[in-house]
Amino acid sequence: MTEAEERKPRSDEARYDPEITSEFAVPQGLELARAAAEPETTSEFAVPEGLQTPQAPSAEPEGSAFTRPRTYSAKDAPPAFTPAAGMPVVSLVKDAPWQDRMRTMLRMPVAERPAPEPVQRADEAGPAVPRVLDLTLRIGELLLAGGEGAEDVEAAMFAVCRSYGLDRCEPNVTFTLLSISHQPSLVDDPVTASRTVRRRGTDYTRLAAVFRLVDDLTDPETHVSLEEAYRRLAEIRRNRHPYPGWALTLASGLLAGAASVLVGGDLIVFVAAAVGAMLGDRLAWLLAGRGLPEFYQFTVAAMPAAAIGVAFALAHVDVKASAVVTGGLFALLPGRALVAGVQDGLTGFYITASARLLEVMYFFVGIVAGVLMVLYFGVKVGGTLNPDAALAVSKRPLIQIAASMLLSLTFAVLLQQERSTVLAVTLNGGVAWSVYGALHYPGGLSPVASTAVAAGLVGLFGQLLSRYRFASALPYTTAAIGPLLPGSATYFGLLSIAQSHVDKGLVSLAKAASLAMAIAIGVNLGSEISRLFLRIGSAGKRRAAKRTRGF
């Protein structure tokens, strides 16, 4: 036997030799016929041999969880799940403002939302989803940057999507980020887009133009194409402010002067407060042109009025120096951001509310730093400023009502409002101060309660005017609360701290914070009361802003 034959295994002996086989070897004579290709090992869930059902050839393999199943058919779709209690019937009033209709739909679960209205602008191929989402985000960006509340921004974004046939959309708004997601059906992949708000500006004329655009998009009788909507949006962005820079500077001076009259100032105090506020405004513009953050702009803008008040005290001029400083503070207090922040918190947008209130706190700290440095220096050099002067406010009803109306008028100019809304907001501010004065001085009601009631009327009237014009309520409420802002309480708290009376200062600052919260809550409550009694938006029970306490 050759060497090659010795190395060749003997298959018969190797197969049946018990020394080289295991106990699982097939006994001799029971060999099974093996198939040409042995199948791979499968699990216990594999279909037994002989029970395979014929499968239709698939055009493409199943991918993600959102891929349509092979048994899906639009004609033979499986029945939708129906709760045991049935689907609730929700009817929306057709002639209601789009804000109320969209807010009502956002506050109900997705499964309970009514079917979308007939789409007016969708062609046979369907809407261009990415472009519609981009238009929606750009509109939401302008609204959020203009100071609109988070819930109203979401309502506007939802309205734009539904107007172009995208009913399964979910917008999400935070302080600096906007996102929206659209899923055509439960078996389709969602499309998500986002946009960051990097710059904010106060221009209520632009805000009103965006509201008119959304109103036209949601109007079933108005056919606005996607290209036309983009063109109008570009015009809104390019539009210049309605008031020039010199008018804004003059308005800030008149606002400070009117505020000084509210707290007991005379003509000399009016002029001094106006000059200080205008100097602070110009300094803030100079710092803004150099790229400094707003914190330092507020700090520097608060110094001139405080310096003029300290100069009067050092010169022993027989005027109310405290009224000069208080007037300068009125022109800087961030009432717009405060109302928007509290409104977001009351409607359930806690992240956005926290960010807005943090912004208000930074602005307030900047104002405090600027005024406190000047007051501390004035006290050290011998200035005699009296914190108890807060109790000596002269009662001049007609003059104070006129001053409150002038304050609201100039505040509206600073907010870049449309000229057609200035008269209404001026009258609203006069009504607010009249109610506050009647409740506080003759009625003896506390300042916080009087402020809350007056702010509630401001919110109620502002909401009614916005419904009449199908516009935002901010232009009718923000400027009207100007006379109610806690400028005097803030100043006297800072003065007490500068004179080393920290306890009295903190008490006065706590009072200022209470007044600010009363203003914001009163405005929001007035708006909600108007929606509650007008019953526009839903035929049934109105849902809360967010689910609370688990039910």
Side-chain angles (χ1 to χ4, degrees):
M1 181 180 294
T2 63
E3 182 179 356
E5 290 177 350
E6 290 181 357
R7 290 197 303 265
K8 182 178 180 180
R10 287 172 293 182
S11 59
D12 295 341
E13 295 180 1
R15 183 185 304 173
Y16 302 116
D17 192 353
E19 295 182 357
I20 60 174
T21 59
S22 67
E23 55 189 7
F24 297 101
V26 180
Q28 185 176 5
L30 294 180
E31 295 85 351
L32 298 177
R34 297 185 178 180
E38 185 176 357
E40 297 180 357
T41 304
T42 58
S43 66
E44 63 268 20
F45 297 102
V47 180
E49 185 178 359
L51 296 180
Q52 289 83 2
T53 57
Q55 299 288 339
S58 177
E60 58 180 2
E62 293 188 2
S64 65
F66 298 99
T67 305
R68 293 182 179 181
R70 297 175 180 176
T71 57
Y72 178 84
S73 175
K75 297 181 179 179
D76 302 325
F81 172 75
T82 303
M87 298 297 294
V89 178
V90 180
S91 60
L92 299 178
V93 182
K94 298 298 182 180
D95 56 350
W98 62 265
Q99 299 100 311
D100 294 319
R101 289 186 283 117
M102 296 302 109
R103 186 183 293 108
T104 301
M105 297 189 65
L106 284 173
R107 290 183 178 183
M108 66 176 64
V110 179
E112 298 181 9
R113 292 175 182 172
E117 299 175 0
V119 181
Q120 301 292 337
R121 288 164 291 275
D123 52 9
E124 296 180 357
V129 175
R131 294 196 66 196
V132 172
L133 297 184
D134 178 71
L135 175 68
T136 302
L137 290 173
R138 292 178 182 273
I139 290 177
E141 178 191 9
L142 286 181
L143 293 177
L144 187 62
E148 192 64 69
E151 187 179 35
D152 292 329
V153 175
E154 282 195 359
M157 295 172 65
F158 192 68
V160 174
C161 286
R162 284 183 64 88
S163 64
Y164 287 102
L166 307 183
D167 58 306
R168 299 179 63 89
C169 284
E170 288 297 329
N172 186 24
V173 176
T174 59
F175 186 62
T176 58
L177 181 65
L178 297 168
S179 63
I180 188 167
S181 178
H182 169 65
Q183 188 174 1
S185 65
L186 295 178
V187 294
D188 288 328
D189 294 335
V191 180
T192 303
S194 61
R195 192 172 182 86
T196 303
V197 180
R198 301 189 182 276
R199 188 174 182 180
R200 302 177 184 275
T202 303
D203 190 344
Y204 281 2
T205 300
R206 180 179 297 174
L207 192 70
V210 176
F211 264 76
R212 284 194 294 269
L213 174 59
V214 178
D215 185 44
D216 291 340
L217 291 176
T218 56
D219 189 358
E221 298 180 358
T222 304
H223 302 277
V224 181
S225 64
L226 201 60
E227 289 73 15
E228 176 68 14
Y230 266 107
R231 184 191 65 80
R232 291 180 57 178
L233 190 62
E235 289 182 355
I236 293 173
R237 286 181 174 273
R238 287 195 301 265
N239 281 348
R240 300 183 63 182
H241 298 308
Y243 305 103
W246 64 266
L248 299 180
T249 302
L250 180 62
S252 64
L254 293 177
L255 189 153
S260 65
V261 174
L262 282 179
V263 294
D266 52 10
L267 181 60
I268 299 178
V269 172
F270 179 91
V271 175
V275 171
M278 287 189 289
L279 288 176
D281 180 78
R282 287 294 91 190
L283 289 175
W285 275 90
L286 180 62
L287 294 181
R290 298 299 178 90
L292 266 71
E294 287 184 306
F295 177 85
Y296 302 105
Q297 298 176 26
F298 274 83
T299 302
V300 174
M303 289 182 175
I308 293 177
V310 171
F312 279 159
L314 291 175
H316 300 287
V317 180
D318 189 16
V319 296
K320 289 187 176 181
S322 59
V324 178
V325 185
T326 302
L329 287 177
F330 264 88
L332 297 175
L333 292 178
R336 173 185 61 87
L338 173 67
V339 172
V342 175
Q343 180 181 358
D344 287 343
L346 294 176
T347 52
F349 294 84
Y350 301 113
I351 297 178
T352 308
S354 302
R356 288 186 189 270
L357 294 178
L358 185 62
E359 180 188 37
V360 171
M361 187 193 72
Y362 270 102
F363 290 162
F364 188 76
V365 169
I367 297 172
V368 167
V371 175
L372 199 56
M373 283 190 293
V374 176
L375 292 181
Y376 186 79
F377 176 77
V379 170
K380 288 297 183 182
V381 297
T384 56
L385 297 171
N386 184 15
D388 296 331
L391 303 177
V393 177
S394 60
K395 301 176 182 178
R396 302 169 295 177
L398 296 180
I399 296 179
Q400 288 182 332
I401 292 175
S404 66
M405 295 177 66
L406 177 61
L407 194 152
S408 299
L409 172 64
T410 53
F411 202 174
V413 174
L414 289 176
L415 293 175
Q416 301 282 0
Q417 291 189 196
E418 292 180 305
R419 292 180 174 87
S420 59
T421 64
V422 171
L423 178 60
V425 76
T426 301
L427 296 176
N428 201 6
V431 171
W433 181 260
S434 301
V435 173
Y436 170 79
L439 293 177
H440 179 53
Y441 296 116
L445 201 62
S446 66
V448 176
S450 303
T451 301
V453 174
L457 289 178
V458 169
L460 178 62
F461 293 155
Q463 192 64 228
L464 293 177
L465 289 173
S466 68
R467 288 169 179 272
Y468 175 73
R469 298 195 177 187
F470 286 75
S472 172
L474 285 181
Y476 301 100
T477 57
T478 305
I481 65 173
L484 304 176
L485 292 176
S488 58
T490 303
Y491 162 69
F492 290 112
L494 298 179
L495 181 58
S496 298
I497 294 176
Q499 294 179 342
S500 301
H501 303 298
V502 180
D503 295 339
K504 293 178 61 177
L506 293 180
V507 170
S508 185
L509 291 180
K511 177 183 176 181
S514 301
L515 291 173
M517 292 296 293
I519 292 173
I521 294 175
V523 170
N524 181 263
L525 184 60
S527 301
E528 294 296 329
I529 288 176
S530 67
R531 298 191 189 106
L532 179 65
F533 285 100
L534 289 179
R535 299 184 64 83
I536 294 179
S538 176
K541 182 176 67 174
R542 183 174 180 268
R543 293 184 178 271
K546 296 288 182 183
R547 293 180 60 189
T548 56
R549 297 176 59 186
F551 57 85

